[in-house]
PDB file of all heavy atoms in Angstrom:
ATOM      1  N   THR A   1     -13.630 -41.893  30.781  1.00 84.00           N
ATOM      2  CA  THR A   1     -12.547 -42.426  31.608  1.00 84.00           C
ATOM      3  C   THR A   1     -13.070 -43.560  32.478  1.00 84.00           C
ATOM      4  O   THR A   1     -14.267 -43.872  32.489  1.00 84.00           O
ATOM      5  CB  THR A   1     -11.966 -41.345  32.523  1.00 84.00           C
ATOM      6  OG1 THR A   1     -12.975 -40.958  33.491  1.00 84.00           O
ATOM      7  CG2 THR A   1     -11.542 -40.114  31.733  1.00 84.00           C
ATOM      8  N   ALA A   2     -12.149 -44.166  33.242  1.00 89.00           N
ATOM      9  CA  ALA A   2     -12.533 -45.244  34.142  1.00 89.00           C
ATOM     10  C   ALA A   2     -13.518 -44.771  35.202  1.00 89.00           C
ATOM     11  O   ALA A   2     -14.319 -45.557  35.717  1.00 89.00           O
ATOM     12  CB  ALA A   2     -11.288 -45.834  34.806  1.00 89.00           C
ATOM     13  N   GLY A   3     -13.485 -43.472  35.514  1.00 91.00           N
ATOM     14  CA  GLY A   3     -14.444 -42.951  36.482  1.00 91.00           C
ATOM     15  C   GLY A   3     -15.872 -43.116  36.002  1.00 91.00           C
ATOM     16  O   GLY A   3     -16.774 -43.471  36.777  1.00 91.00           O
ATOM     17  N   GLU A   4     -16.106 -42.851  34.736  1.00 93.00           N
ATOM     18  CA  GLU A   4     -17.445 -43.043  34.183  1.00 93.00           C
ATOM     19  C   GLU A   4     -17.810 -44.519  34.161  1.00 93.00           C
ATOM     20  O   GLU A   4     -18.964 -44.888  34.415  1.00 93.00           O
ATOM     21  CB  GLU A   4     -17.543 -42.462  32.778  1.00 93.00           C
ATOM     22  CG  GLU A   4     -18.957 -42.575  32.191  1.00 93.00           C
ATOM     23  CD  GLU A   4     -19.111 -41.901  30.848  1.00 93.00           C
ATOM     24  OE1 GLU A   4     -18.092 -41.627  30.183  1.00 93.00           O
ATOM     25  OE2 GLU A   4     -20.257 -41.641  30.457  1.00 93.00           O
ATOM     26  N   ALA A   5     -16.844 -45.374  33.875  1.00 94.00           N
ATOM     27  CA  ALA A   5     -17.097 -46.816  33.874  1.00 94.00           C
ATOM     28  C   ALA A   5     -17.549 -47.287  35.244  1.00 94.00           C
ATOM     29  O   ALA A   5     -18.509 -48.059  35.369  1.00 94.00           O
ATOM     30  CB  ALA A   5     -15.837 -47.566  33.449  1.00 94.00           C
ATOM     31  N   VAL A   6     -16.860 -46.818  36.277  1.00 95.00           N
ATOM     32  CA  VAL A   6     -17.231 -47.183  37.648  1.00 95.00           C
ATOM     33  C   VAL A   6     -18.665 -46.756  37.933  1.00 95.00           C
ATOM     34  O   VAL A   6     -19.473 -47.522  38.482  1.00 95.00           O
ATOM     35  CB  VAL A   6     -16.261 -46.528  38.653  1.00 95.00           C
ATOM     36  CG1 VAL A   6     -16.780 -46.690  40.084  1.00 95.00           C
ATOM     37  CG2 VAL A   6     -14.873 -47.143  38.523  1.00 95.00           C
ATOM     38  N   LEU A   7     -18.995 -45.529  37.555  1.00 96.00           N
ATOM     39  CA  LEU A   7     -20.332 -44.998  37.813  1.00 96.00           C
ATOM     40  C   LEU A   7     -21.396 -45.785  37.055  1.00 96.00           C
ATOM     41  O   LEU A   7     -22.431 -46.151  37.627  1.00 96.00           O
ATOM     42  CB  LEU A   7     -20.391 -43.523  37.429  1.00 96.00           C
ATOM     43  CG  LEU A   7     -21.718 -42.808  37.687  1.00 96.00           C
ATOM     44  CD1 LEU A   7     -22.057 -42.813  39.172  1.00 96.00           C
ATOM     45  CD2 LEU A   7     -21.670 -41.377  37.154  1.00 96.00           C
ATOM     46  N   LEU A   8     -21.171 -46.064  35.778  1.00 96.00           N
ATOM     47  CA  LEU A   8     -22.154 -46.803  34.976  1.00 96.00           C
ATOM     48  C   LEU A   8     -22.458 -48.174  35.571  1.00 96.00           C
ATOM     49  O   LEU A   8     -23.621 -48.567  35.701  1.00 96.00           O
ATOM     50  CB  LEU A   8     -21.633 -46.969  33.551  1.00 96.00           C
ATOM     51  CG  LEU A   8     -21.673 -45.739  32.640  1.00 96.00           C
ATOM     52  CD1 LEU A   8     -20.945 -46.029  31.335  1.00 96.00           C
ATOM     53  CD2 LEU A   8     -23.111 -45.326  32.361  1.00 96.00           C
ATOM     54  N   GLN A   9     -21.419 -48.894  35.938  1.00 96.00           N
ATOM     55  CA  GLN A   9     -21.622 -50.238  36.479  1.00 96.00           C
ATOM     56  C   GLN A   9     -22.290 -50.206  37.846  1.00 96.00           C
ATOM     57  O   GLN A   9     -23.180 -51.008  38.138  1.00 96.00           O
ATOM     58  CB  GLN A   9     -20.274 -50.961  36.584  1.00 96.00           C
ATOM     59  CG  GLN A   9     -19.637 -51.264  35.247  1.00 96.00           C
ATOM     60  CD  GLN A   9     -18.189 -51.684  35.391  1.00 96.00           C
ATOM     61  OE1 GLN A   9     -17.854 -52.853  35.284  1.00 96.00           O
ATOM     62  NE2 GLN A   9     -17.319 -50.711  35.657  1.00 96.00           N
ATOM     63  N   ALA A  10     -21.851 -49.264  38.685  1.00 96.00           N
ATOM     64  CA  ALA A  10     -22.415 -49.173  40.029  1.00 96.00           C
ATOM     65  C   ALA A  10     -23.888 -48.767  39.990  1.00 96.00           C
ATOM     66  O   ALA A  10     -24.717 -49.320  40.729  1.00 96.00           O
ATOM     67  CB  ALA A  10     -21.617 -48.177  40.862  1.00 96.00           C
ATOM     68  N   LEU A  11     -24.234 -47.801  39.139  1.00 96.00           N
ATOM     69  CA  LEU A  11     -25.635 -47.401  39.005  1.00 96.00           C
ATOM     70  C   LEU A  11     -26.472 -48.560  38.488  1.00 96.00           C
ATOM     71  O   LEU A  11     -27.589 -48.817  38.976  1.00 96.00           O
ATOM     72  CB  LEU A  11     -25.752 -46.206  38.054  1.00 96.00           C
ATOM     73  CG  LEU A  11     -25.219 -44.857  38.554  1.00 96.00           C
ATOM     74  CD1 LEU A  11     -25.309 -43.813  37.450  1.00 96.00           C
ATOM     75  CD2 LEU A  11     -25.971 -44.391  39.800  1.00 96.00           C
ATOM     76  N   ASP A  12     -25.940 -49.282  37.503  1.00 95.00           N
ATOM     77  CA  ASP A  12     -26.664 -50.428  36.947  1.00 95.00           C
ATOM     78  C   ASP A  12     -26.916 -51.475  38.018  1.00 95.00           C
ATOM     79  O   ASP A  12     -28.025 -52.022  38.116  1.00 95.00           O
ATOM     80  CB  ASP A  12     -25.853 -51.027  35.791  1.00 95.00           C
ATOM     81  CG  ASP A  12     -26.572 -52.186  35.125  1.00 95.00           C
ATOM     82  OD1 ASP A  12     -27.669 -51.961  34.562  1.00 95.00           O
ATOM     83  OD2 ASP A  12     -26.042 -53.311  35.154  1.00 95.00           O
ATOM     84  N   SER A  13     -25.924 -51.757  38.845  1.00 95.00           N
ATOM     85  CA  SER A  13     -26.087 -52.743  39.923  1.00 95.00           C
ATOM     86  C   SER A  13     -27.086 -52.270  40.974  1.00 95.00           C
ATOM     87  O   SER A  13     -27.730 -53.084  41.641  1.00 95.00           O
ATOM     88  CB  SER A  13     -24.731 -53.021  40.588  1.00 95.00           C
ATOM     89  OG  SER A  13     -23.837 -53.625  39.672  1.00 95.00           O
ATOM     90  N   ALA A  14     -27.217 -50.942  41.113  1.00 95.00           N
ATOM     91  CA  ALA A  14     -28.154 -50.368  42.083  1.00 95.00           C
ATOM     92  C   ALA A  14     -29.542 -50.152  41.485  1.00 95.00           C
ATOM     93  O   ALA A  14     -30.432 -49.601  42.144  1.00 95.00           O
ATOM     94  CB  ALA A  14     -27.616 -49.048  42.616  1.00 95.00           C
ATOM     95  N   GLY A  15     -29.739 -50.575  40.232  1.00 95.00           N
ATOM     96  CA  GLY A  15     -31.030 -50.405  39.580  1.00 95.00           C
ATOM     97  C   GLY A  15     -31.269 -49.008  39.050  1.00 95.00           C
ATOM     98  O   GLY A  15     -32.425 -48.625  38.805  1.00 95.00           O
ATOM     99  N   LEU A  16     -30.188 -48.252  38.843  1.00 95.00           N
ATOM    100  CA  LEU A  16     -30.303 -46.889  38.343  1.00 95.00           C
ATOM    101  C   LEU A  16     -29.635 -46.774  36.976  1.00 95.00           C
ATOM    102  O   LEU A  16     -28.888 -47.655  36.558  1.00 95.00           O
ATOM    103  CB  LEU A  16     -29.637 -45.908  39.317  1.00 95.00           C
ATOM    104  CG  LEU A  16     -30.208 -45.841  40.732  1.00 95.00           C
ATOM    105  CD1 LEU A  16     -29.348 -44.925  41.603  1.00 95.00           C
ATOM    106  CD2 LEU A  16     -31.651 -45.365  40.709  1.00 95.00           C
ATOM    107  N   LYS A  17     -29.917 -45.650  36.288  1.00 92.00           N
ATOM    108  CA  LYS A  17     -29.299 -45.361  35.005  1.00 92.00           C
ATOM    109  C   LYS A  17     -28.546 -44.037  35.106  1.00 92.00           C
ATOM    110  O   LYS A  17     -28.740 -43.267  36.055  1.00 92.00           O
ATOM    111  CB  LYS A  17     -30.355 -45.275  33.905  1.00 92.00           C
ATOM    112  CG  LYS A  17     -31.110 -46.570  33.652  1.00 92.00           C
ATOM    113  CD  LYS A  17     -32.127 -46.386  32.542  1.00 92.00           C
ATOM    114  CE  LYS A  17     -32.889 -47.670  32.281  1.00 92.00           C
ATOM    115  NZ  LYS A  17     -33.901 -47.499  31.209  1.00 92.00           N
ATOM    116  N   LEU A  18     -27.716 -43.777  34.129  1.00 93.00           N
ATOM    117  CA  LEU A  18     -26.969 -42.525  34.116  1.00 93.00           C
ATOM    118  C   LEU A  18     -27.910 -41.330  34.077  1.00 93.00           C
ATOM    119  O   LEU A  18     -27.614 -40.271  34.638  1.00 93.00           O
ATOM    120  CB  LEU A  18     -26.015 -42.493  32.921  1.00 93.00           C
ATOM    121  CG  LEU A  18     -24.934 -41.406  32.921  1.00 93.00           C
ATOM    122  CD1 LEU A  18     -24.030 -41.548  34.141  1.00 93.00           C
ATOM    123  CD2 LEU A  18     -24.110 -41.467  31.652  1.00 93.00           C
ATOM    124  N   SER A  19     -29.066 -41.498  33.446  1.00 93.00           N
ATOM    125  CA  SER A  19     -30.044 -40.412  33.366  1.00 93.00           C
ATOM    126  C   SER A  19     -30.691 -40.107  34.715  1.00 93.00           C
ATOM    127  O   SER A  19     -31.358 -39.083  34.868  1.00 93.00           O
ATOM    128  CB  SER A  19     -31.129 -40.755  32.346  1.00 93.00           C
ATOM    129  OG  SER A  19     -31.775 -41.976  32.679  1.00 93.00           O
ATOM    130  N   ASP A  20     -30.490 -40.990  35.704  1.00 96.00           N
ATOM    131  CA  ASP A  20     -31.045 -40.753  37.039  1.00 96.00           C
ATOM    132  C   ASP A  20     -30.198 -39.785  37.855  1.00 96.00           C
ATOM    133  O   ASP A  20     -30.603 -39.370  38.945  1.00 96.00           O
ATOM    134  CB  ASP A  20     -31.176 -42.070  37.802  1.00 96.00           C
ATOM    135  CG  ASP A  20     -32.277 -42.962  37.232  1.00 96.00           C
ATOM    136  OD1 ASP A  20     -33.324 -42.414  36.855  1.00 96.00           O
ATOM    137  OD2 ASP A  20     -32.074 -44.188  37.166  1.00 96.00           O
ATOM    138  N   VAL A  21     -29.006 -39.448  37.356  1.00 97.00           N
ATOM    139  CA  VAL A  21     -28.162 -38.468  38.027  1.00 97.00           C
ATOM    140  C   VAL A  21     -27.887 -37.310  37.074  1.00 97.00           C
ATOM    141  O   VAL A  21     -28.081 -37.431  35.863  1.00 97.00           O
ATOM    142  CB  VAL A  21     -26.829 -39.084  38.500  1.00 97.00           C
ATOM    143  CG1 VAL A  21     -27.063 -40.316  39.351  1.00 97.00           C
ATOM    144  CG2 VAL A  21     -25.920 -39.421  37.315  1.00 97.00           C
ATOM    145  N   THR A  22     -27.464 -36.185  37.633  1.00 97.00           N
ATOM    146  CA  THR A  22     -27.042 -35.062  36.806  1.00 97.00           C
ATOM    147  C   THR A  22     -25.532 -35.129  36.657  1.00 97.00           C
ATOM    148  O   THR A  22     -24.787 -34.945  37.631  1.00 97.00           O
ATOM    149  CB  THR A  22     -27.430 -33.720  37.452  1.00 97.00           C
ATOM    150  OG1 THR A  22     -28.852 -33.645  37.573  1.00 97.00           O
ATOM    151  CG2 THR A  22     -26.948 -32.556  36.604  1.00 97.00           C
ATOM    152  N   SER A  23     -25.073 -35.457  35.451  1.00 96.00           N
ATOM    153  CA  SER A  23     -23.640 -35.617  35.214  1.00 96.00           C
ATOM    154  C   SER A  23     -22.957 -34.263  35.081  1.00 96.00           C
ATOM    155  O   SER A  23     -23.452 -33.373  34.381  1.00 96.00           O
ATOM    156  CB  SER A  23     -23.407 -36.423  33.930  1.00 96.00           C
ATOM    157  OG  SER A  23     -23.899 -37.744  34.076  1.00 96.00           O
ATOM    158  N   VAL A  24     -21.841 -34.117  35.765  1.00 97.00           N
ATOM    159  CA  VAL A  24     -21.010 -32.916  35.649  1.00 97.00           C
ATOM    160  C   VAL A  24     -19.654 -33.378  35.127  1.00 97.00           C
ATOM    161  O   VAL A  24     -18.854 -33.963  35.856  1.00 97.00           O
ATOM    162  CB  VAL A  24     -20.867 -32.196  37.005  1.00 97.00           C
ATOM    163  CG1 VAL A  24     -19.984 -30.961  36.851  1.00 97.00           C
ATOM    164  CG2 VAL A  24     -22.240 -31.823  37.557  1.00 97.00           C
ATOM    165  N   ASP A  25     -19.421 -33.138  33.848  1.00 95.00           N
ATOM    166  CA  ASP A  25     -18.220 -33.629  33.174  1.00 95.00           C
ATOM    167  C   ASP A  25     -17.069 -32.646  33.355  1.00 95.00           C
ATOM    168  O   ASP A  25     -17.056 -31.567  32.760  1.00 95.00           O
ATOM    169  CB  ASP A  25     -18.517 -33.823  31.681  1.00 95.00           C
ATOM    170  CG  ASP A  25     -17.323 -34.326  30.893  1.00 95.00           C
ATOM    171  OD1 ASP A  25     -16.388 -34.867  31.521  1.00 95.00           O
ATOM    172  OD2 ASP A  25     -17.326 -34.191  29.654  1.00 95.00           O
ATOM    173  N   ILE A  26     -16.100 -33.013  34.211  1.00 93.00           N
ATOM    174  CA  ILE A  26     -14.932 -32.176  34.451  1.00 93.00           C
ATOM    175  C   ILE A  26     -13.698 -33.066  34.527  1.00 93.00           C
ATOM    176  O   ILE A  26     -13.798 -34.279  34.714  1.00 93.00           O
ATOM    177  CB  ILE A  26     -15.054 -31.348  35.754  1.00 93.00           C
ATOM    178  CG1 ILE A  26     -15.309 -32.272  36.957  1.00 93.00           C
ATOM    179  CG2 ILE A  26     -16.153 -30.319  35.635  1.00 93.00           C
ATOM    180  CD1 ILE A  26     -15.371 -31.530  38.286  1.00 93.00           C
ATOM    181  N   GLN A  27     -12.538 -32.464  34.387  1.00 90.00           N
ATOM    182  CA  GLN A  27     -11.301 -33.225  34.486  1.00 90.00           C
ATOM    183  C   GLN A  27     -11.144 -33.789  35.891  1.00 90.00           C
ATOM    184  O   GLN A  27     -11.595 -33.187  36.869  1.00 90.00           O
ATOM    185  CB  GLN A  27     -10.105 -32.343  34.137  1.00 90.00           C
ATOM    186  CG  GLN A  27     -10.060 -31.922  32.678  1.00 90.00           C
ATOM    187  CD  GLN A  27      -8.792 -31.152  32.353  1.00 90.00           C
ATOM    188  OE1 GLN A  27      -7.932 -30.933  33.197  1.00 90.00           O
ATOM    189  NE2 GLN A  27      -8.691 -30.727  31.109  1.00 90.00           N
ATOM    190  N   GLN A  28     -10.476 -34.938  35.952  1.00 87.00           N
ATOM    191  CA  GLN A  28     -10.321 -35.606  37.239  1.00 87.00           C
ATOM    192  C   GLN A  28      -9.673 -34.702  38.288  1.00 87.00           C
ATOM    193  O   GLN A  28     -10.043 -34.722  39.462  1.00 87.00           O
ATOM    194  CB  GLN A  28      -9.475 -36.873  37.056  1.00 87.00           C
ATOM    195  CG  GLN A  28      -9.315 -37.705  38.311  1.00 87.00           C
ATOM    196  CD  GLN A  28     -10.644 -38.170  38.860  1.00 87.00           C
ATOM    197  OE1 GLN A  28     -11.403 -38.834  38.188  1.00 87.00           O
ATOM    198  NE2 GLN A  28     -10.950 -37.815  40.107  1.00 87.00           N
ATOM    199  N   THR A  29      -8.725 -33.888  37.875  1.00 89.00           N
ATOM    200  CA  THR A  29      -8.023 -33.018  38.819  1.00 89.00           C
ATOM    201  C   THR A  29      -8.903 -31.896  39.358  1.00 89.00           C
ATOM    202  O   THR A  29      -8.516 -31.206  40.307  1.00 89.00           O
ATOM    203  CB  THR A  29      -6.784 -32.404  38.148  1.00 89.00           C
ATOM    204  OG1 THR A  29      -7.170 -31.769  36.921  1.00 89.00           O
ATOM    205  CG2 THR A  29      -5.737 -33.471  37.852  1.00 89.00           C
ATOM    206  N   GLN A  30     -10.100 -31.706  38.778  1.00 94.00           N
ATOM    207  CA  GLN A  30     -10.996 -30.642  39.218  1.00 94.00           C
ATOM    208  C   GLN A  30     -12.150 -31.143  40.091  1.00 94.00           C
ATOM    209  O   GLN A  30     -12.935 -30.344  40.591  1.00 94.00           O
ATOM    210  CB  GLN A  30     -11.576 -29.919  37.994  1.00 94.00           C
ATOM    211  CG  GLN A  30     -10.526 -29.231  37.136  1.00 94.00           C
ATOM    212  CD  GLN A  30     -11.106 -28.632  35.873  1.00 94.00           C
ATOM    213  OE1 GLN A  30     -12.214 -28.957  35.460  1.00 94.00           O
ATOM    214  NE2 GLN A  30     -10.348 -27.743  35.245  1.00 94.00           N
ATOM    215  N   VAL A  31     -12.231 -32.463  40.268  1.00 96.00           N
ATOM    216  CA  VAL A  31     -13.347 -33.038  41.032  1.00 96.00           C
ATOM    217  C   VAL A  31     -13.329 -32.552  42.479  1.00 96.00           C
ATOM    218  O   VAL A  31     -14.362 -32.171  43.038  1.00 96.00           O
ATOM    219  CB  VAL A  31     -13.310 -34.578  40.977  1.00 96.00           C
ATOM    220  CG1 VAL A  31     -14.304 -35.178  41.968  1.00 96.00           C
ATOM    221  CG2 VAL A  31     -13.626 -35.063  39.569  1.00 96.00           C
ATOM    222  N   ALA A  32     -12.163 -32.552  43.105  1.00 95.00           N
ATOM    223  CA  ALA A  32     -12.075 -32.127  44.504  1.00 95.00           C
ATOM    224  C   ALA A  32     -12.540 -30.683  44.683  1.00 95.00           C
ATOM    225  O   ALA A  32     -13.261 -30.360  45.643  1.00 95.00           O
ATOM    226  CB  ALA A  32     -10.640 -32.284  45.009  1.00 95.00           C
ATOM    227  N   ALA A  33     -12.166 -29.802  43.752  1.00 96.00           N
ATOM    228  CA  ALA A  33     -12.580 -28.396  43.843  1.00 96.00           C
ATOM    229  C   ALA A  33     -14.087 -28.267  43.701  1.00 96.00           C
ATOM    230  O   ALA A  33     -14.726 -27.455  44.393  1.00 96.00           O
ATOM    231  CB  ALA A  33     -11.874 -27.571  42.771  1.00 96.00           C
TER     232      ALA A  33
END
């Protein structure tokens, strides 16, 4: 989703990669919980 796109670009701009974080793949409506 666009959420992953935001994260990928922001991490790249910060000199980080997706592997530098622990991804928790959940539906958008479950993020707040």
Side-chain angles (χ1 to χ4, degrees):
T1 67
E4 183 175 18
V6 170
L7 182 62
L8 285 172
Q9 293 167 104
L11 290 175
D12 182 63
S13 296
L16 299 174
K17 296 180 180 179
L18 193 60
S19 58
D20 290 321
V21 306
T22 298
S23 295
V24 179
D25 180 19
I26 56 177
Q27 292 185 1
Q28 184 59 58
T29 53
Q30 298 175 344
V31 170

